[in-house]
Amino acid sequence: MKSIVCLHSLTPEQVGQIKQAAPGYDLIVKNKKELSAEQVQNAEVILGWSKTIVEDALLATSKLKWVQTWSAGVDTLPLERLRDKGVLLTSASGVHAIPISESIIGMMLSFSRQLHMAVRHQLKKEWKSDLSVPGLATLGEISGKTLVIVGVGEIGRETARLAKAFGMRVIGVRRSDQPEPHVDRMYTMDGLHEALGQGDYIVNILPLTAETRRIFNAAAWNATKEGAYFFNVGRGPTVDTDALMDALKSGRLSGAGLDVFEAEPLPADHPLWDMEQVIITPHVAGSNDRYTERVIDIFTENLKSYAQGQKPPRNLVDYGRMY
């Protein structure tokens, strides 16, 4: 019997959902430590991924034909080996749209209303009505401001929708300049620096590829509107951290909300921890209590097509683009 291996815990309802989508398949639900080499080698479909299964899954004699990742990003997978074996790869892109867009809005509001400073004073039991960081902006509004979203996919679309509800102007940047309903103007990546020069708030949601690695560098910050705020919920290595800190220290950037970093976890002695104009979250912007439910919805939609001999319709990764 054909086999599906899932490396994550599922409810009985989710198990039933998968079995209904592909009735001719055996479903094995085990964590990576419980799986035998034989179970991995015999799996035609793997839901999730782990470094511990790489060698067994990618043997020349293994039966692997399709991997559905548990994550939206695929840059940590052995993409060349998967491609060379002819394995279909689909991501969980879209699963993060609601929680990450809400995290972005939350960070913007924290800076505009200086909530991060109020919390710092609260911990010291200090009553201070002046919440401003010395030399930087004080209480303001996001209404009427311009938001630049770099990497307009599922997350960017939802972020744009929310931003418009707050009365913001929205500029998008992505590979294609095709319009989006809640984006006032769309640039291609060639227009990145022009777009950055207009943003009061800038959000990076780019995947990590050869082209995007450290794309937010000194040249990008020099093109950015002075006093802008920057948020990174994409991939840490798309940002040159030293150049970012220089922009923060000089006041070129008023603040930064960072969920991802070049090195994770962020070292305890890293200077970013002590910068008052920085909000740090530990790579949790996409975490939520409906994550598994949404991944399974994506997987079962793909599985129904795959079981009928078709390619999975959602989030099929282009190995050339790395997403």
Side-chain angles (χ1 to χ4, degrees), residues 247-284:
L248 288 164
K249 291 173 184 176
S250 70
R252 185 78 194 184
L253 291 175
S254 289
L258 307 173
D259 186 60
V260 291
F261 304 86
E262 287 191 277
E264 294 185 4
L266 186 67
D269 60 352
H270 200 285
L272 281 170
W273 288 111
D274 297 319
M275 300 183 79
E276 289 187 320
Q277 67 271 50
V278 174
I279 295 174
I280 292 173
T281 54
H283 206 145
V284 294

PDB file of all heavy atoms in Angstrom, residues 247-284:
ATOM      1  N   ALA A 247      21.793  52.242  10.952  1.00  0.00           N
ATOM      2  CA  ALA A 247      20.663  53.098  10.584  1.00  0.00           C
ATOM      3  C   ALA A 247      19.837  53.475  11.805  1.00  0.00           C
ATOM      4  O   ALA A 247      19.317  54.597  11.897  1.00  0.00           O
ATOM      5  CB  ALA A 247      19.788  52.388   9.549  1.00  0.00           C
ATOM      6  N   LEU A 248      19.727  52.577  12.763  1.00  0.00           N
ATOM      7  CA  LEU A 248      18.999  52.866  13.998  1.00  0.00           C
ATOM      8  C   LEU A 248      19.769  53.859  14.876  1.00  0.00           C
ATOM      9  O   LEU A 248      19.197  54.783  15.440  1.00  0.00           O
ATOM     10  CB  LEU A 248      18.751  51.574  14.777  1.00  0.00           C
ATOM     11  CG  LEU A 248      17.703  50.627  14.186  1.00  0.00           C
ATOM     12  CD1 LEU A 248      17.825  49.234  14.807  1.00  0.00           C
ATOM     13  CD2 LEU A 248      16.294  51.185  14.382  1.00  0.00           C
ATOM     14  N   LYS A 249      21.068  53.679  14.970  1.00  0.00           N
ATOM     15  CA  LYS A 249      21.894  54.562  15.804  1.00  0.00           C
ATOM     16  C   LYS A 249      21.947  55.977  15.242  1.00  0.00           C
ATOM     17  O   LYS A 249      21.966  56.956  16.001  1.00  0.00           O
ATOM     18  CB  LYS A 249      23.309  53.999  15.920  1.00  0.00           C
ATOM     19  CG  LYS A 249      23.409  52.724  16.740  1.00  0.00           C
ATOM     20  CD  LYS A 249      24.821  52.138  16.671  1.00  0.00           C
ATOM     21  CE  LYS A 249      24.921  50.825  17.408  1.00  0.00           C
ATOM     22  NZ  LYS A 249      26.281  50.212  17.254  1.00  0.00           N
ATOM     23  N   SER A 250      21.955  56.090  13.921  1.00  0.00           N
ATOM     24  CA  SER A 250      22.055  57.414  13.286  1.00  0.00           C
ATOM     25  C   SER A 250      20.726  58.150  13.267  1.00  0.00           C
ATOM     26  O   SER A 250      20.689  59.354  13.021  1.00  0.00           O
ATOM     27  CB  SER A 250      22.568  57.259  11.852  1.00  0.00           C
ATOM     28  OG  SER A 250      21.585  56.643  11.030  1.00  0.00           O
ATOM     29  N   GLY A 251      19.620  57.422  13.532  1.00  0.00           N
ATOM     30  CA  GLY A 251      18.301  58.029  13.465  1.00  0.00           C
ATOM     31  C   GLY A 251      17.683  57.952  12.081  1.00  0.00           C
ATOM     32  O   GLY A 251      16.581  58.435  11.854  1.00  0.00           O
ATOM     33  N   ARG A 252      18.427  57.345  11.148  1.00  0.00           N
ATOM     34  CA  ARG A 252      17.859  57.154   9.809  1.00  0.00           C
ATOM     35  C   ARG A 252      16.556  56.356   9.929  1.00  0.00           C
ATOM     36  O   ARG A 252      15.568  56.636   9.271  1.00  0.00           O
ATOM     37  CB  ARG A 252      18.850  56.409   8.928  1.00  0.00           C
ATOM     38  CG  ARG A 252      18.411  56.257   7.485  1.00  0.00           C
ATOM     39  CD  ARG A 252      18.632  57.551   6.737  1.00  0.00           C
ATOM     40  NE  ARG A 252      17.957  57.596   5.465  1.00  0.00           N
ATOM     41  CZ  ARG A 252      18.077  58.602   4.615  1.00  0.00           C
ATOM     42  NH1 ARG A 252      18.845  59.632   4.926  1.00  0.00           N
ATOM     43  NH2 ARG A 252      17.428  58.609   3.480  1.00  0.00           N
ATOM     44  N   LEU A 253      16.586  55.355  10.793  1.00  0.00           N
ATOM     45  CA  LEU A 253      15.389  54.612  11.165  1.00  0.00           C
ATOM     46  C   LEU A 253      15.001  55.003  12.583  1.00  0.00           C
ATOM     47  O   LEU A 253      15.859  55.056  13.471  1.00  0.00           O
ATOM     48  CB  LEU A 253      15.628  53.105  11.105  1.00  0.00           C
ATOM     49  CG  LEU A 253      15.823  52.469   9.729  1.00  0.00           C
ATOM     50  CD1 LEU A 253      16.173  50.985   9.875  1.00  0.00           C
ATOM     51  CD2 LEU A 253      14.586  52.624   8.850  1.00  0.00           C
ATOM     52  N   SER A 254      13.727  55.255  12.807  1.00  0.00           N
ATOM     53  CA  SER A 254      13.260  55.593  14.161  1.00  0.00           C
ATOM     54  C   SER A 254      13.119  54.368  15.035  1.00  0.00           C
ATOM     55  O   SER A 254      13.194  54.456  16.258  1.00  0.00           O
ATOM     56  CB  SER A 254      11.918  56.327  14.084  1.00  0.00           C
ATOM     57  OG  SER A 254      12.095  57.628  13.573  1.00  0.00           O
ATOM     58  N   GLY A 255      12.892  53.214  14.419  1.00  0.00           N
ATOM     59  CA  GLY A 255      12.723  52.005  15.211  1.00  0.00           C
ATOM     60  C   GLY A 255      12.621  50.785  14.324  1.00  0.00           C
ATOM     61  O   GLY A 255      12.491  50.890  13.097  1.00  0.00           O
ATOM     62  N   ALA A 256      12.699  49.614  14.954  1.00  0.00           N
ATOM     63  CA  ALA A 256      12.586  48.359  14.217  1.00  0.00           C
ATOM     64  C   ALA A 256      11.867  47.326  15.069  1.00  0.00           C
ATOM     65  O   ALA A 256      12.115  47.209  16.269  1.00  0.00           O
ATOM     66  CB  ALA A 256      13.972  47.838  13.822  1.00  0.00           C
ATOM     67  N   GLY A 257      10.959  46.588  14.443  1.00  0.00           N
ATOM     68  CA  GLY A 257      10.301  45.454  15.071  1.00  0.00           C
ATOM     69  C   GLY A 257      10.810  44.197  14.390  1.00  0.00           C
ATOM     70  O   GLY A 257      10.605  44.017  13.182  1.00  0.00           O
ATOM     71  N   LEU A 258      11.497  43.344  15.133  1.00  0.00           N
ATOM     72  CA  LEU A 258      12.208  42.220  14.533  1.00  0.00           C
ATOM     73  C   LEU A 258      11.729  40.895  15.113  1.00  0.00           C
ATOM     74  O   LEU A 258      11.801  40.680  16.319  1.00  0.00           O
ATOM     75  CB  LEU A 258      13.713  42.374  14.769  1.00  0.00           C
ATOM     76  CG  LEU A 258      14.325  43.725  14.347  1.00  0.00           C
ATOM     77  CD1 LEU A 258      15.774  43.809  14.781  1.00  0.00           C
ATOM     78  CD2 LEU A 258      14.182  43.929  12.838  1.00  0.00           C
ATOM     79  N   ASP A 259      11.269  40.018  14.236  1.00  0.00           N
ATOM     80  CA  ASP A 259      10.839  38.681  14.660  1.00  0.00           C
ATOM     81  C   ASP A 259      11.828  37.619  14.206  1.00  0.00           C
ATOM     82  O   ASP A 259      11.829  36.512  14.738  1.00  0.00           O
ATOM     83  CB  ASP A 259       9.457  38.365  14.079  1.00  0.00           C
ATOM     84  CG  ASP A 259       8.899  37.043  14.595  1.00  0.00           C
ATOM     85  OD1 ASP A 259       8.731  36.922  15.826  1.00  0.00           O
ATOM     86  OD2 ASP A 259       8.643  36.148  13.771  1.00  0.00           O
ATOM     87  N   VAL A 260      12.657  37.946  13.220  1.00  0.00           N
ATOM     88  CA  VAL A 260      13.627  36.994  12.675  1.00  0.00           C
ATOM     89  C   VAL A 260      14.994  37.656  12.594  1.00  0.00           C
ATOM     90  O   VAL A 260      15.108  38.881  12.453  1.00  0.00           O
ATOM     91  CB  VAL A 260      13.195  36.493  11.284  1.00  0.00           C
ATOM     92  CG1 VAL A 260      11.963  35.617  11.386  1.00  0.00           C
ATOM     93  CG2 VAL A 260      12.925  37.667  10.335  1.00  0.00           C
ATOM     94  N   PHE A 261      16.046  36.820  12.657  1.00  0.00           N
ATOM     95  CA  PHE A 261      17.405  37.342  12.763  1.00  0.00           C
ATOM     96  C   PHE A 261      18.376  36.487  11.959  1.00  0.00           C
ATOM     97  O   PHE A 261      18.084  35.327  11.654  1.00  0.00           O
ATOM     98  CB  PHE A 261      17.835  37.376  14.240  1.00  0.00           C
ATOM     99  CG  PHE A 261      16.887  38.164  15.102  1.00  0.00           C
ATOM    100  CD1 PHE A 261      15.759  37.555  15.643  1.00  0.00           C
ATOM    101  CD2 PHE A 261      17.100  39.510  15.341  1.00  0.00           C
ATOM    102  CE1 PHE A 261      14.863  38.278  16.420  1.00  0.00           C
ATOM    103  CE2 PHE A 261      16.207  40.234  16.101  1.00  0.00           C
ATOM    104  CZ  PHE A 261      15.086  39.621  16.650  1.00  0.00           C
ATOM    105  N   GLU A 262      19.534  37.075  11.634  1.00  0.00           N
ATOM    106  CA  GLU A 262      20.549  36.326  10.891  1.00  0.00           C
ATOM    107  C   GLU A 262      21.011  35.106  11.677  1.00  0.00           C
ATOM    108  O   GLU A 262      21.261  34.046  11.118  1.00  0.00           O
ATOM    109  CB  GLU A 262      21.736  37.233  10.566  1.00  0.00           C
ATOM    110  CG  GLU A 262      21.443  38.262   9.481  1.00  0.00           C
ATOM    111  CD  GLU A 262      22.681  38.970   9.001  1.00  0.00           C
ATOM    112  OE1 GLU A 262      23.093  39.945   9.658  1.00  0.00           O
ATOM    113  OE2 GLU A 262      23.263  38.558   7.967  1.00  0.00           O
ATOM    114  N   ALA A 263      21.155  35.267  12.994  1.00  0.00           N
ATOM    115  CA  ALA A 263      21.509  34.148  13.874  1.00  0.00           C
ATOM    116  C   ALA A 263      20.396  33.975  14.896  1.00  0.00           C
ATOM    117  O   ALA A 263      20.015  34.932  15.561  1.00  0.00           O
ATOM    118  CB  ALA A 263      22.839  34.420  14.577  1.00  0.00           C
ATOM    119  N   GLU A 264      19.851  32.771  14.975  1.00  0.00           N
ATOM    120  CA  GLU A 264      18.782  32.492  15.943  1.00  0.00           C
ATOM    121  C   GLU A 264      19.136  31.273  16.785  1.00  0.00           C
ATOM    122  O   GLU A 264      19.642  30.280  16.239  1.00  0.00           O
ATOM    123  CB  GLU A 264      17.450  32.247  15.213  1.00  0.00           C
ATOM    124  CG  GLU A 264      16.928  33.483  14.511  1.00  0.00           C
ATOM    125  CD  GLU A 264      15.559  33.266  13.884  1.00  0.00           C
ATOM    126  OE1 GLU A 264      14.963  32.169  14.061  1.00  0.00           O
ATOM    127  OE2 GLU A 264      15.069  34.181  13.203  1.00  0.00           O
ATOM    128  N   PRO A 265      18.897  31.325  18.108  1.00  0.00           N
ATOM    129  CA  PRO A 265      18.353  32.492  18.825  1.00  0.00           C
ATOM    130  C   PRO A 265      19.338  33.652  18.850  1.00  0.00           C
ATOM    131  O   PRO A 265      20.551  33.447  18.739  1.00  0.00           O
ATOM    132  CB  PRO A 265      18.098  31.951  20.236  1.00  0.00           C
ATOM    133  CG  PRO A 265      19.038  30.801  20.370  1.00  0.00           C
ATOM    134  CD  PRO A 265      19.137  30.183  19.004  1.00  0.00           C
ATOM    135  N   LEU A 266      18.808  34.867  18.977  1.00  0.00           N
ATOM    136  CA  LEU A 266      19.653  36.050  19.043  1.00  0.00           C
ATOM    137  C   LEU A 266      20.549  35.943  20.279  1.00  0.00           C
ATOM    138  O   LEU A 266      20.046  35.765  21.386  1.00  0.00           O
ATOM    139  CB  LEU A 266      18.783  37.307  19.117  1.00  0.00           C
ATOM    140  CG  LEU A 266      19.517  38.645  19.038  1.00  0.00           C
ATOM    141  CD1 LEU A 266      20.136  38.844  17.663  1.00  0.00           C
ATOM    142  CD2 LEU A 266      18.555  39.790  19.355  1.00  0.00           C
ATOM    143  N   PRO A 267      21.881  36.029  20.121  1.00  0.00           N
ATOM    144  CA  PRO A 267      22.785  35.891  21.272  1.00  0.00           C
ATOM    145  C   PRO A 267      22.461  36.881  22.387  1.00  0.00           C
ATOM    146  O   PRO A 267      22.077  38.020  22.125  1.00  0.00           O
ATOM    147  CB  PRO A 267      24.165  36.174  20.668  1.00  0.00           C
ATOM    148  CG  PRO A 267      24.024  35.821  19.219  1.00  0.00           C
ATOM    149  CD  PRO A 267      22.616  36.208  18.853  1.00  0.00           C
ATOM    150  N   ALA A 268      22.599  36.431  23.626  1.00  0.00           N
ATOM    151  CA  ALA A 268      22.235  37.251  24.788  1.00  0.00           C
ATOM    152  C   ALA A 268      23.042  38.539  24.863  1.00  0.00           C
ATOM    153  O   ALA A 268      22.579  39.528  25.441  1.00  0.00           O
ATOM    154  CB  ALA A 268      22.423  36.440  26.071  1.00  0.00           C
ATOM    155  N   ASP A 269      24.237  38.555  24.288  1.00  0.00           N
ATOM    156  CA  ASP A 269      25.076  39.756  24.351  1.00  0.00           C
ATOM    157  C   ASP A 269      24.955  40.625  23.104  1.00  0.00           C
ATOM    158  O   ASP A 269      25.734  41.564  22.918  1.00  0.00           O
ATOM    159  CB  ASP A 269      26.545  39.371  24.568  1.00  0.00           C
ATOM    160  CG  ASP A 269      27.095  38.494  23.436  1.00  0.00           C
ATOM    161  OD1 ASP A 269      26.298  38.060  22.573  1.00  0.00           O
ATOM    162  OD2 ASP A 269      28.315  38.240  23.417  1.00  0.00           O
ATOM    163  N   HIS A 270      23.943  40.357  22.273  1.00  0.00           N
ATOM    164  CA  HIS A 270      23.797  41.140  21.046  1.00  0.00           C
ATOM    165  C   HIS A 270      23.303  42.545  21.377  1.00  0.00           C
ATOM    166  O   HIS A 270      22.394  42.724  22.195  1.00  0.00           O
ATOM    167  CB  HIS A 270      22.823  40.464  20.083  1.00  0.00           C
ATOM    168  CG  HIS A 270      22.975  40.930  18.677  1.00  0.00           C
ATOM    169  ND1 HIS A 270      22.525  42.158  18.237  1.00  0.00           N
ATOM    170  CD2 HIS A 270      23.563  40.346  17.597  1.00  0.00           C
ATOM    171  CE1 HIS A 270      22.805  42.305  16.957  1.00  0.00           C
ATOM    172  NE2 HIS A 270      23.436  41.217  16.544  1.00  0.00           N
ATOM    173  N   PRO A 271      23.868  43.581  20.742  1.00  0.00           N
ATOM    174  CA  PRO A 271      23.482  44.977  21.025  1.00  0.00           C
ATOM    175  C   PRO A 271      22.013  45.289  20.784  1.00  0.00           C
ATOM    176  O   PRO A 271      21.474  46.228  21.388  1.00  0.00           O
ATOM    177  CB  PRO A 271      24.375  45.792  20.077  1.00  0.00           C
ATOM    178  CG  PRO A 271      25.526  44.904  19.756  1.00  0.00           C
ATOM    179  CD  PRO A 271      24.986  43.508  19.789  1.00  0.00           C
ATOM    180  N   LEU A 272      21.355  44.541  19.929  1.00  0.00           N
ATOM    181  CA  LEU A 272      19.938  44.825  19.644  1.00  0.00           C
ATOM    182  C   LEU A 272      19.076  44.743  20.901  1.00  0.00           C
ATOM    183  O   LEU A 272      18.098  45.477  21.039  1.00  0.00           O
ATOM    184  CB  LEU A 272      19.395  43.850  18.599  1.00  0.00           C
ATOM    185  CG  LEU A 272      19.742  44.126  17.130  1.00  0.00           C
ATOM    186  CD1 LEU A 272      19.344  42.944  16.258  1.00  0.00           C
ATOM    187  CD2 LEU A 272      19.068  45.410  16.645  1.00  0.00           C
ATOM    188  N   TRP A 273      19.435  43.853  21.830  1.00  0.00           N
ATOM    189  CA  TRP A 273      18.636  43.698  23.047  1.00  0.00           C
ATOM    190  C   TRP A 273      18.530  44.997  23.840  1.00  0.00           C
ATOM    191  O   TRP A 273      17.521  45.250  24.499  1.00  0.00           O
ATOM    192  CB  TRP A 273      19.243  42.620  23.957  1.00  0.00           C
ATOM    193  CG  TRP A 273      19.095  41.217  23.494  1.00  0.00           C
ATOM    194  CD1 TRP A 273      20.094  40.390  23.050  1.00  0.00           C
ATOM    195  CD2 TRP A 273      17.901  40.429  23.442  1.00  0.00           C
ATOM    196  NE1 TRP A 273      19.595  39.156  22.720  1.00  0.00           N
ATOM    197  CE2 TRP A 273      18.247  39.139  22.958  1.00  0.00           C
ATOM    198  CE3 TRP A 273      16.567  40.682  23.758  1.00  0.00           C
ATOM    199  CZ2 TRP A 273      17.315  38.117  22.792  1.00  0.00           C
ATOM    200  CZ3 TRP A 273      15.634  39.661  23.588  1.00  0.00           C
ATOM    201  CH2 TRP A 273      16.000  38.408  23.112  1.00  0.00           C
ATOM    202  N   ASP A 274      19.564  45.820  23.801  1.00  0.00           N
ATOM    203  CA  ASP A 274      19.615  47.013  24.639  1.00  0.00           C
ATOM    204  C   ASP A 274      19.129  48.277  23.935  1.00  0.00           C
ATOM    205  O   ASP A 274      19.147  49.356  24.532  1.00  0.00           O
ATOM    206  CB  ASP A 274      21.062  47.243  25.124  1.00  0.00           C
ATOM    207  CG  ASP A 274      21.557  46.108  26.011  1.00  0.00           C
ATOM    208  OD1 ASP A 274      20.755  45.644  26.843  1.00  0.00           O
ATOM    209  OD2 ASP A 274      22.712  45.695  25.856  1.00  0.00           O
ATOM    210  N   MET A 275      18.682  48.161  22.698  1.00  0.00           N
ATOM    211  CA  MET A 275      18.254  49.355  21.957  1.00  0.00           C
ATOM    212  C   MET A 275      16.785  49.644  22.260  1.00  0.00           C
ATOM    213  O   MET A 275      15.906  48.826  21.969  1.00  0.00           O
ATOM    214  CB  MET A 275      18.498  49.160  20.465  1.00  0.00           C
ATOM    215  CG  MET A 275      19.958  48.909  20.122  1.00  0.00           C
ATOM    216  SD  MET A 275      20.297  48.753  18.351  1.00  0.00           S
ATOM    217  CE  MET A 275      20.298  50.484  17.868  1.00  0.00           C
ATOM    218  N   GLU A 276      16.513  50.801  22.842  1.00  0.00           N
ATOM    219  CA  GLU A 276      15.141  51.137  23.240  1.00  0.00           C
ATOM    220  C   GLU A 276      14.193  51.263  22.061  1.00  0.00           C
ATOM    221  O   GLU A 276      12.986  51.108  22.217  1.00  0.00           O
ATOM    222  CB  GLU A 276      15.146  52.450  24.041  1.00  0.00           C
ATOM    223  CG  GLU A 276      15.757  52.321  25.427  1.00  0.00           C
ATOM    224  CD  GLU A 276      15.578  53.591  26.242  1.00  0.00           C
ATOM    225  OE1 GLU A 276      15.722  54.688  25.659  1.00  0.00           O
ATOM    226  OE2 GLU A 276      15.291  53.477  27.441  1.00  0.00           O
ATOM    227  N   GLN A 277      14.735  51.563  20.900  1.00  0.00           N
ATOM    228  CA  GLN A 277      13.891  51.751  19.718  1.00  0.00           C
ATOM    229  C   GLN A 277      13.674  50.453  18.941  1.00  0.00           C
ATOM    230  O   GLN A 277      13.247  50.465  17.790  1.00  0.00           O
ATOM    231  CB  GLN A 277      14.483  52.828  18.796  1.00  0.00           C
ATOM    232  CG  GLN A 277      15.814  52.486  18.121  1.00  0.00           C
ATOM    233  CD  GLN A 277      17.014  52.884  18.944  1.00  0.00           C
ATOM    234  OE1 GLN A 277      17.104  52.574  20.121  1.00  0.00           O
ATOM    235  NE2 GLN A 277      17.965  53.581  18.302  1.00  0.00           N
ATOM    236  N   VAL A 278      13.921  49.317  19.598  1.00  0.00           N
ATOM    237  CA  VAL A 278      13.760  48.011  18.948  1.00  0.00           C
ATOM    238  C   VAL A 278      12.795  47.141  19.755  1.00  0.00           C
ATOM    239  O   VAL A 278      12.901  47.056  20.978  1.00  0.00           O
ATOM    240  CB  VAL A 278      15.121  47.293  18.812  1.00  0.00           C
ATOM    241  CG1 VAL A 278      14.929  45.877  18.267  1.00  0.00           C
ATOM    242  CG2 VAL A 278      16.055  48.090  17.900  1.00  0.00           C
ATOM    243  N   ILE A 279      11.851  46.510  19.054  1.00  0.00           N
ATOM    244  CA  ILE A 279      10.979  45.491  19.639  1.00  0.00           C
ATOM    245  C   ILE A 279      11.434  44.140  19.094  1.00  0.00           C
ATOM    246  O   ILE A 279      11.555  43.964  17.877  1.00  0.00           O
ATOM    247  CB  ILE A 279       9.507  45.728  19.279  1.00  0.00           C
ATOM    248  CG1 ILE A 279       9.004  47.042  19.892  1.00  0.00           C
ATOM    249  CG2 ILE A 279       8.636  44.566  19.758  1.00  0.00           C
ATOM    250  CD1 ILE A 279       7.595  47.417  19.460  1.00  0.00           C
ATOM    251  N   ILE A 280      11.693  43.196  19.994  1.00  0.00           N
ATOM    252  CA  ILE A 280      12.161  41.871  19.600  1.00  0.00           C
ATOM    253  C   ILE A 280      11.129  40.822  19.990  1.00  0.00           C
ATOM    254  O   ILE A 280      10.674  40.780  21.139  1.00  0.00           O
ATOM    255  CB  ILE A 280      13.509  41.549  20.276  1.00  0.00           C
ATOM    256  CG1 ILE A 280      14.613  42.452  19.709  1.00  0.00           C
ATOM    257  CG2 ILE A 280      13.881  40.077  20.101  1.00  0.00           C
ATOM    258  CD1 ILE A 280      15.938  42.329  20.434  1.00  0.00           C
ATOM    259  N   THR A 281      10.757  39.981  19.030  1.00  0.00           N
ATOM    260  CA  THR A 281       9.950  38.801  19.325  1.00  0.00           C
ATOM    261  C   THR A 281      10.710  37.579  18.805  1.00  0.00           C
ATOM    262  O   THR A 281      11.370  37.652  17.760  1.00  0.00           O
ATOM    263  CB  THR A 281       8.546  38.881  18.689  1.00  0.00           C
ATOM    264  OG1 THR A 281       8.663  39.124  17.275  1.00  0.00           O
ATOM    265  CG2 THR A 281       7.737  40.000  19.320  1.00  0.00           C
ATOM    266  N   PRO A 282      10.645  36.446  19.501  1.00  0.00           N
ATOM    267  CA  PRO A 282      11.498  35.289  19.193  1.00  0.00           C
ATOM    268  C   PRO A 282      10.960  34.368  18.095  1.00  0.00           C
ATOM    269  O   PRO A 282      10.657  33.201  18.335  1.00  0.00           O
ATOM    270  CB  PRO A 282      11.588  34.568  20.539  1.00  0.00           C
ATOM    271  CG  PRO A 282      10.268  34.844  21.178  1.00  0.00           C
ATOM    272  CD  PRO A 282       9.898  36.249  20.763  1.00  0.00           C
ATOM    273  N   HIS A 283      10.824  34.902  16.878  1.00  0.00           N
ATOM    274  CA  HIS A 283      10.366  34.139  15.714  1.00  0.00           C
ATOM    275  C   HIS A 283       9.022  33.460  15.998  1.00  0.00           C
ATOM    276  O   HIS A 283       8.846  32.261  15.739  1.00  0.00           O
ATOM    277  CB  HIS A 283      11.403  33.092  15.304  1.00  0.00           C
ATOM    278  CG  HIS A 283      11.321  32.718  13.849  1.00  0.00           C
ATOM    279  ND1 HIS A 283      12.423  32.401  13.087  1.00  0.00           N
ATOM    280  CD2 HIS A 283      10.251  32.605  13.009  1.00  0.00           C
ATOM    281  CE1 HIS A 283      12.050  32.104  11.856  1.00  0.00           C
ATOM    282  NE2 HIS A 283      10.734  32.227  11.782  1.00  0.00           N
ATOM    283  N   VAL A 284       8.090  34.243  16.504  1.00  0.00           N
ATOM    284  CA  VAL A 284       6.770  33.704  16.846  1.00  0.00           C
ATOM    285  C   VAL A 284       5.631  34.453  16.146  1.00  0.00           C
ATOM    286  O   VAL A 284       4.468  34.196  16.432  1.00  0.00           O
ATOM    287  CB  VAL A 284       6.528  33.746  18.376  1.00  0.00           C
ATOM    288  CG1 VAL A 284       7.474  32.810  19.091  1.00  0.00           C
ATOM    289  CG2 VAL A 284       6.647  35.167  18.931  1.00  0.00           C
TER     290      VAL A 284
END
